[in-house]
Amino acid sequence: MSPSPRFDRGHTDDLMAFLMASPSPYHAVASAAARLEKAGFRQVEETAAWDGTTGGRYVLRGGAIVAWYVPEGAGAHTPFRIVGAHTDSPNLRVKPLPDSGAYGWRQIAVEIYGGTLLNTWLDRDLGLAGRISLRDGSDRLVSIDRPLLRVPQLAVHLDRSSNTDGLKLDRQKHMQPIWGLGDVEEGDLIRFVAEEAGVDAEDITGWDLMPHPVEPPSYLGRDRELVAGPRMDNLLSVHAATAALAAVAGQPDAELPYIPVMAAFDHEENGSQSDTGADGPLLGSVLERSVFARGGGYEDRARAFAGTVCLSSDTGHAIHPNYAERHDPTHHPVVNGGPILKVNVNMRYSTDGAGRSVFAAACEKAGVPWQTFVSNNAMPCGTTIGPITAARHGIKTVDIGVAILSMHSARELCGADDPYLLANALSAFLTG
């Protein structure tokens, strides 16, 4: 079998461009789709009949995308190799009645989405992005990528204890951004968004909008060995999975014993329970329809799923030099040390010994170093789409990712080598 596609530091440069082009989950799936289109994939509608021909296809639903490549010779019972990820990140989301303010300040009413580090959103230049829904039933992406909003922190003179007792933020009172001066006017924000989008405000009947930091990603460190940027959790994995799938689809079909799949879901940060989340029916529906479109029945579906493996790729914790006691004393993932295998015996991560073997084989094939992450027993362990995917679909699932610092911050930090090391491991996994 020929080697899997290879990625280098140019992949990290492209990741930074992907982060900038993807200020919301809706932009992230559009960015991924554009890359797949260049690789020859085509979009199929869920409401249309699907055929069983070979080639690359993808489905878009809100902030989620599922893409797959059917090689020549694939049977109805051919197993899948899936890379799963998520498109959402903890942030602020605009409320249904957004126009707010007091004392001559015009503000935007926001809700807190996911487990964001609130203090990282203070005193930061924010744009506004997302989608608007129009009266004719269509949606349109919006990205106002310039300083527009700011959540101002209280001066230390008015809170002398903030540096000694810790900053205490009320999620309702203290996190509402300002965006100008004057009296509050109902409908003001949506009129502004409509003008930016080139539509009539009266035609906007719904919106899913969110502030985003406008500072671009950047290399950091004496030797530029680090990358700082927004939404790495988990667009780093979405980007790597997209790049790996596009590259693998360019391999000779005879080299693909599996059907490679990329599934990037929305709403992981708040439990995945939506029609675009991993706990919804999207992935299972796509896989089953692919089997049926190739002439298969229930028996073929069962055989395909039994041989399928999913890598759930999400960011994990690199050891923090200032808080080493918060980490497991014998597991110290470092940045630029290669992707991590995430393990929790209580199945907060879905990895078991057999899954470890699959991941180790992919890394060995790609020539990529890898590490293991286990939480400190005294600390609660987070979770991912991995256990959900395994339980919902009966698919062998392994949790992996890239070790980062500042997870759930408005601006996170990773090693500059790890994104392309992950992509190399994923491409080796997808090619079997």
Side-chain angles (χ1 to χ4, degrees):
M1 182 175 290
S2 62
S4 56
R6 298 290 298 177
F7 301 95
D8 55 22
R9 183 62 77 90
H11 175 89
T12 305
D13 294 336
D14 190 61
L15 167 64
M16 296 164 75
F18 184 82
L19 294 174
M20 279 298 291
S22 308
S24 77
Y26 316 108
H27 289 82
V29 298
S31 298
R35 284 164 163 74
L36 292 172
E37 289 276 354
K38 289 182 179 178
F41 285 68
R42 61 181 177 86
Q43 183 178 359
V44 292
E45 299 292 339
E46 291 186 82
T47 55
W50 293 5
D51 61 48
T53 55
T54 59
R57 297 170 177 79
Y58 66 90
V59 166
L60 295 180
R61 184 193 288 184
I65 180 171
V66 180
W68 66 102
Y69 180 81
V70 180
E72 290 283 353
H77 59 272
T78 298
F80 301 92
R81 279 287 175 104
I82 305 168
V83 178
H86 66 89
T87 60
D88 59 319
S89 303
N91 63 2
L92 311 178
R93 302 286 177 105
V94 175
K95 288 184 175 181
L97 300 176
D99 300 294
S100 179
Y103 305 105
W105 294 101
R106 292 158 65 193
Q107 295 176 275
I108 303 301
V110 297
E111 254 186 302
I112 311 301
Y113 178 84
T116 186
L117 282 170
L118 297 179
N119 65 294
T120 66
W121 288 83
L122 302 178
D123 298 335
R124 192 179 291 274
D125 295 340
L126 304 172
L128 191 68
R131 67 177 179 182
I132 53 176
S133 299
L134 305 181
R135 194 174 301 279
D136 64 4
S138 65
D139 294 325
R140 184 171 300 192
L141 297 184
V142 177
S143 181
I144 304 169
D145 197 31
R146 66 176 186 272
L148 178 69
L149 309 168
R150 183 182 177 94
V151 183
Q153 187 170 187
L154 185 64
V156 69
H157 312 76
L158 303 178
D159 184 9
R160 297 287 184 179
S161 66
S162 61
N163 286 330
T164 55
D165 298 338
L167 181 64
K168 296 179 176 62
L169 295 172
D170 184 290
R171 293 161 65 90
Q172 177 62 39
K173 294 192 298 184
H174 299 153
M175 297 306 298
Q176 309 307 310
I178 61 173
W179 76 305
L181 301 173
D183 296 330
V184 178
E185 299 181 23
E186 185 177 351
D188 199 20
L189 178 67
I190 298 307
R191 284 192 293 271
F192 171 77
V193 170
E195 183 177 349
E196 292 286 321
V199 301
D200 292 332
E202 293 75 16
D203 288 335
I204 299 178
T205 55
W207 55 86
D208 300 280
L209 299 170
M210 56 204 73
H212 67 277
V214 298
E215 182 183 3
S218 61
Y219 286 104
L220 184 146
R222 185 192 66 180
D223 299 316
R224 292 164 56 87
E225 68 267 52
L226 303 169
V227 173
R231 299 178 296 279
M232 290 185 182
D233 179 11
N234 187 32
L235 294 188
L236 188 158
S237 294
V238 175
H239 176 259
T242 303
L245 179 62
V248 166
Q251 294 283 95
D253 281 358
E255 304 292 343
L256 295 176
Y258 303 97
I259 295 174
V261 180
M262 183 269 286
F265 303 99
D266 201 353
H267 302 129
E268 188 273 347
E269 297 293 355
N270 62 10
S272 295
Q273 290 187 324
S274 71
D275 69 322
T276 53
D279 203 19
L282 180 59
L283 176 61
S285 174
V286 168
L287 298 183
E288 288 179 347
R289 292 185 68 178
S290 175
V291 170
F292 299 154
R294 283 176 279 119
Y298 181 82
E299 183 70 12
D300 297 293
R301 181 260 190 214
R303 292 174 65 189
F305 277 41
T308 292
V309 183
C310 174
L311 292 187
S312 164
S313 182
D314 204 344
T315 54
H317 303 293
I319 186 164
H320 197 303
N322 298 338
Y323 301 91
E325 72 281 0
R326 302 295 181 96
H327 298 265
D328 182 83
T330 58
H331 295 78
H332 294 160
V334 296
V335 298
N336 288 333
I340 56 174
L341 180 74
K342 301 162 78 170
V343 178
N344 178 262
V345 295
N346 295 301
M347 289 290 108
R348 300 290 286 173
Y349 303 130
S350 56
T351 306
D352 62 11
R356 174 190 173 101
S357 295
V358 173
F359 179 64
C363 290
E364 181 178 354
K365 178 182 176 183
V368 167
W370 60 280
Q371 313 172 79
T372 304
F373 171 82
V374 179
S375 288
N376 185 309
N377 287 339
M379 298 284 171
C381 179
T383 191
T384 68
I385 66 166
I388 294 171
T389 302
R392 182 172 183 84
H393 306 294
I395 289 172
K396 168 65 69 179
T397 305
V398 187
D399 271 295
I400 67 160
V402 161
I404 69 171
L405 292 182
S406 305
M407 186 184 294
H408 287 196
S409 170
R411 193 169 178 85
E412 297 161 323
L413 183 72
C414 76
D417 296 341
D418 284 329
Y420 69 81
L421 293 177
L422 174 65
N424 285 331
L426 295 184
S427 66
F429 166 74
L430 290 175
T431 56

